[in-house]
């Protein structure tokens, strides 16, 4: 319907309209056609693209960041426990 409206608004568009509608119908039929079956004996190749490599790199960096946070938290907790134990030993030996 948009094409018919454009044909009434744009002079000279009427002569191109049949060709345009044929092309659009051909594209529609090609789009709606069922995809060709892929033979099962053909091995799929790995599709490495820049985006997949970049996404993998970003995930590795995020995982590394998460591990560093957990490690630093655990070390801080252990240091506090050791400081408490040391304080108990110092106060016990001082009396």
């Amino acid at each position: 319907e948009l094409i018919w409206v454009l044909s009434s608004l744009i002079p000279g568009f009427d002569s191109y309209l049949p060709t345009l509608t044929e092309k659009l119908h051909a594209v529609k039929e090609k789009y709606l056609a069922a995809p060709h079956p892929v033979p099962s004996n053909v091995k799929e190749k790995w599709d490495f693209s820049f985006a997949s490599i970049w996404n993998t790199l970003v995930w590795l960096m995020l995982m590394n960041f998460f591990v560093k946070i957990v490690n630093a938290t655990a070390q801080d907790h252990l240091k506090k426990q050791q400081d408490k134990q040391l304080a108990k030993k110092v106060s016990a030996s001082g009396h």
Side-chain angles (χ1 to χ4, degrees), residues 39-56:
S40 61
N41 61 355
V42 175
K43 293 182 180 179
E44 293 184 24
K45 68 177 187 173
W46 288 78
D47 187 23
F48 284 116
S49 64
F50 178 74
S52 64
I53 293 171
W54 179 256
N55 287 341
T56 303

Side-chain angles (χ1 to χ4, degrees), residues 40-77:
S40 61
N41 61 355
V42 175
K43 293 182 180 179
E44 293 184 24
K45 68 177 187 173
W46 288 78
D47 187 23
F48 284 116
S49 64
F50 178 74
S52 64
I53 293 171
W54 179 256
N55 287 341
T56 303
L57 182 65
V58 169
W59 271 108
L60 289 173
M61 289 170 52
L62 286 172
M63 293 304 293
N64 183 34
F65 182 66
F66 176 73
V67 167
K68 284 185 177 184
I69 289 173
V70 170
N71 191 18
T73 304
Q75 286 179 355
D76 187 45
H77 181 70

Side-chain angles (χ1 to χ4, degrees), residues 5-62:
V5 170
L6 286 176
S7 67
S8 65
L9 295 176
I10 301 173
F13 193 72
D14 289 339
S15 62
Y16 187 67
L17 190 60
T19 308
L20 181 63
T21 54
E22 287 177 25
K23 288 181 182 179
L24 289 174
H25 284 295
V27 169
K28 176 186 164 190
E29 292 300 322
K30 185 177 178 182
Y31 178 76
L32 293 177
H36 299 294
V38 177
S40 61
N41 61 355
V42 175
K43 293 182 180 179
E44 293 184 24
K45 68 177 187 173
W46 288 78
D47 187 23
F48 284 116
S49 64
F50 178 74
S52 64
I53 293 171
W54 179 256
N55 287 341
T56 303
L57 182 65
V58 169
W59 271 108
L60 289 173
M61 289 170 52
L62 286 172

